[in-house]
Amino acid sequence: MSAAAPIPGAPTAHAPLAEADIARLVERFYQRVRLDPLLGPVFAPVVEDWDVHIATLIDFWSAVVLRSGRYRGNPMAMHRRLPIQPEHFERWLALWNETAREELGEDNARIVGDHAARIGRSLRHGLGLGPTRPSPPQADASGSMPG
């Protein structure tokens, strides 16, 4: 089995994350969010100016990942007004991790992915959506449980 071909422009070695990396990741990620059939409709009605919103999100991720202290806000309050369901978190995190791997390479993608997973768990809890749990087994038509 051969290794996947490197993505053009993606870092090949682990280098410390910088502001430019965070900005590139956030900009590319939210381009994808806006086009995503599950996530786009959640954010489109509430984001009035995407440039301003992305600048705020760059500040947020800079504060989280680089500890820059640039973000002042309340993410929980901002997300309470959105019609978010558990499947939105799952899609958001999958798209975030995919974009991070493409933009930052595997090692740095793991770093920002770990941050995103922790933030997601906190938001889910705060929004009353609870942790991700596997669905219980479903009985078949005869009433028998699988396994």
Side-chain angles (χ1 to χ4, degrees):
M1 186 175 232
S2 64
I7 297 168
T12 56
H14 178 66
L17 286 163
E19 290 289 342
D21 299 316
I22 300 299
R24 187 176 72 251
L25 170 61
V26 170
E27 288 167 358
R28 180 68 181 121
F29 174 70
Y30 280 97
Q31 286 174 350
R32 290 178 168 186
V33 165
R34 292 170 75 176
L35 298 173
D36 189 83
L38 182 62
L39 298 175
V42 171
F43 294 98
V46 296
V47 176
E48 294 178 21
D49 185 330
W50 276 99
D51 291 336
V52 170
H53 187 62
I54 289 172
T56 299
L57 292 167
I58 291 169
D59 287 346
F60 172 80
W61 284 104
S62 172
V64 168
V65 176
L66 303 176
R67 301 186 191 278
S68 68
R70 288 193 357 219
Y71 177 77
R72 300 283 185 252
N74 185 337
M76 187 67 67
M78 298 305 294
H79 288 84
R80 278 197 177 108
R81 63 187 177 144
L82 301 175
I84 299 175
Q85 296 300 312
E87 61 269 18
H88 295 112
F89 281 97
E90 293 161 16
R91 177 64 185 143
W92 190 99
L93 189 57
L95 189 60
W96 175 261
N97 287 333
E98 176 184 311
T99 307
R101 281 191 305 276
E102 292 171 4
E103 295 296 328
L104 306 176
E106 288 294 330
D107 291 337
N108 283 331
R110 195 171 303 111
I111 291 167
V112 298
D114 289 347
H115 284 294
R118 282 192 297 277
I119 291 165
R121 284 190 301 270
S122 176
L123 282 172
R124 285 179 73 132
H125 178 75
L127 296 173
L129 297 174
T132 303
R133 293 189 183 105
S135 299
Q138 300 294 316
D140 65 19
S142 70
S144 298
M145 296 299 282

